[in-house]
Amino acid sequence: MILYKAEDLGAFVTPFGAMAEQSSGSAPRDGPLAGLTFALKDLYDVAGIVTGCGSPRWAQTHGPAAENAPVLDRLLAAGAVLMGKTHTDELAYSLLGMNPHYGTPLNPRAPDRIPGGSSNGSASAVAAGIVDFAIGSDTGGSVRLPASFCGIFGMRPSYGRVSLEGVMALAPSFDTAGWFARDAALLQRIARVLLPSWDDETDDMPSRVLLAEDAFERMNAAPRETLWPHAEQAARVLGEPEAIRLSENGLEEWMDVFRVIQAREAWNRHGDWIREEGGNVDKGVYERFLMGSRITDDAFENAREKREEITARMNKALDDKTILIVPTTPDIAPLKTSSPSFFAAFRNQALSILCIAGLARLPQITLPITVHGGAPLGLSVIGPRDGDAFLLRIASRLAGALGIEAQ
């Protein structure tokens, strides 16, 4: 169902549909994604077009891409038709979906609220029904959070499962591809195209179902009261739920580990460009890069060691048939009119939940399970490392059993 016209969304970098004729000309009519349309986040290369990465100055200082990113080629070879490139937060270094240069794409399910980012345009286009699916990227939550805010399905695959060649890197040890859809079945069809291998075993019942108590405690009280019964119901569909506390010292500590590594990796990757061009970059993004420049080698190595301890802890908890249920975000999308201090506090609160899968390199799917205060609120399932196919079957089972669909 189309809720808005493309021109109402503010989601597209390129004119909507301008790429369709070119991409549909070679699309196989019998491909697994034949007849479907999609949008592509402006971090992915399209041959002959400058990859702008949400930054006018980046676009001015970089030439057109020589070839398509492999992700794009896979989708086109599967028969999907590209309708355009979508906006992102500048250099993908934000979770809000607000870009001072290009504006804030509409959240079709809560127009007075932010869409979330950094894959803001991709989430907006799918939630509005303008395209069937969209490609984003997820470093710290940039698919999962906007999917929850916009009331759609979103997937972050296991780290390293999908090629990021031809995609702007931010923090390479966290960066993943990701995708949005309005139903779980399509989420799985896209995965069959993008994942390099697929496990077709029929067993899709987990051996254990864990509810992360400390993750739910990071939510605000009212939305937690709304979400918790849905989490328990989802857990019971899959088995007998067990409560678990993930972190001995609190998820805030895990968030700090994530932020140190992410910021230093981002500076290592883009510091030279930021030194020259940082005055042209959004103030908040610029300050996050500068934070990375101040992280010492010792602090960086210490955080990386803690990350491996976290990974070992998560791998022990999640064997090859265990599912972990967590909230996707601490609350519904904030109002666009919220203060900078509110946004900053919300970002930290959200990262303390979103960092779990990123630190441990695990796949995560967010499902549009409910509404709170008139806006969507997602619930997530996290699976074992490289258990992407298993996790997708779990998401489909939950969607079918609970009647979950885009909000």
Side-chain angles (χ1 to χ4, degrees):
M1 179 177 64
I2 296 177
L3 300 178
Y4 294 90
K5 295 179 180 179
E7 56 266 29
D8 298 329
L9 298 179
F12 286 88
V13 176
T14 56
F16 179 72
M19 297 178 172
E21 184 175 351
Q22 179 181 0
S23 64
S24 63
S26 57
R29 296 183 179 180
D30 58 350
L33 300 179
L36 297 179
T37 60
F38 74 103
L40 186 70
K41 185 178 184 178
D42 193 25
L43 299 187
Y44 290 77
D45 285 350
V46 176
I49 296 176
V50 175
T51 304
C53 305
S55 172
R57 189 59 182 160
W58 183 275
Q60 292 165 4
T61 56
H62 291 77
E67 56 188 8
N68 290 343
V71 162
L72 174 57
D73 281 337
R74 279 181 172 266
L75 295 171
L76 296 177
V81 175
L82 177 62
M83 301 304 290
K85 299 191 77 175
T86 49
H87 283 298
T88 171
D89 291 75
E90 190 162 19
L91 302 177
Y93 209 169
S94 179
L95 281 174
L96 300 179
M98 305 170 75
N99 188 309
H101 311 291
Y102 301 118
T104 303
L106 183 73
N107 180 339
R109 306 293 172 166
D112 57 341
R113 298 179 181 272
I114 62 173
S118 62
S119 305
N120 47 23
S122 293
S124 176
V126 172
I130 296 297
V131 292
D132 295 305
F133 69 94
I135 304 300
S137 67
D138 190 307
T139 299
S142 291
V143 165
R144 293 163 288 162
L145 180 135
S148 179
F149 283 180
C150 293
I152 54 180
F153 292 83
M155 177 163 189
R156 173 196 169 99
S158 295
Y159 176 77
R161 288 298 304 277
V162 178
S163 170
L164 289 180
E165 182 183 349
V167 185
M168 189 213 80
L170 178 60
S173 77
F174 292 102
D175 295 344
T176 67
W179 49 97
F180 303 92
R182 291 187 300 279
D183 64 81
L186 180 53
L187 208 70
Q188 187 170 149
R189 287 172 65 186
I190 299 160
R192 286 179 175 270
V193 170
L194 293 182
L195 295 176
S197 60
W198 187 267
D199 173 12
D200 266 321
E201 67 178 61
T202 57
D203 181 15
D204 61 357
M205 286 300 291
S207 57
R208 298 174 69 204
V209 183
L210 307 177
L211 283 163
E213 287 186 334
D214 45 352
F216 282 94
E217 289 169 2
R218 294 296 298 154
M219 295 186 70
N220 293 332
R224 182 172 64 242
E225 290 179 6
T226 296
L227 187 63
W228 181 252
H230 295 278
E232 289 186 308
Q233 184 183 18
R236 287 193 294 269
V237 168
L238 301 175
E240 187 64 33
E242 305 172 39
I244 187 175
R245 300 193 72 81
L246 301 177
S247 172
E248 293 178 343
N249 300 315
L251 289 172
E252 299 95 326
E253 180 186 66
W254 287 22
M255 180 199 68
D256 289 339
V257 171
F258 166 79
R259 293 190 73 176
V260 166
I261 300 173
Q262 181 200 36
R264 177 60 185 272
E265 288 189 358
W267 181 257
N268 289 348
R269 175 65 59 155
H270 298 299
D272 289 345
W273 188 85
I274 290 293
R275 285 191 187 98
E276 294 186 8
E277 306 293 347
N280 300 294
V281 172
D282 170 57
K283 180 181 178 182
V285 171
Y286 180 57
E287 289 175 349
R288 284 190 279 280
F289 275 110
L290 289 187
M291 181 181 75
S293 74
R294 295 189 289 267
I295 293 170
T296 66
D297 291 345
D298 286 346
F300 184 44
E301 289 306 317
N302 182 55
R304 294 207 293 184
E305 289 175 6
K306 288 183 178 179
R307 181 188 188 181
E308 295 314 312
E309 294 172 4
I310 292 168
T311 298
R313 184 179 180 90
M314 291 299 296
N315 287 342
K316 183 178 180 180
L318 296 179
D319 62 20
D320 62 352
K321 290 295 181 183
T322 298
I323 290 296
L324 176 68
I325 296 177
V326 299
T328 307
T329 63
D331 209 326
I332 59 175
L335 293 167
K336 293 178 183 178
T337 54
S338 300
S339 68
S341 60
F342 180 91
F343 282 133
F346 186 93
R347 184 173 183 272
N348 289 341
Q349 189 179 1
L351 283 173
S352 68
I353 300 171
L354 293 163
C355 71
I356 297 166
L359 285 167
R361 308 170 178 89
L362 303 175
Q364 179 174 341
I365 296 172
T366 180
L367 303 94
I369 202 165
T370 191
V371 170
H372 174 78
L377 183 63
L379 180 74
S380 278
V381 286
I382 296 176
R385 176 77 185 271
D386 295 330
D388 302 68
F390 173 61
L391 186 65
L392 282 154
R393 289 196 294 272
I394 292 295
S396 291
R397 175 179 284 270
L398 287 174
L402 302 177
I404 301 171
E405 58 185 18
Q407 296 296 329

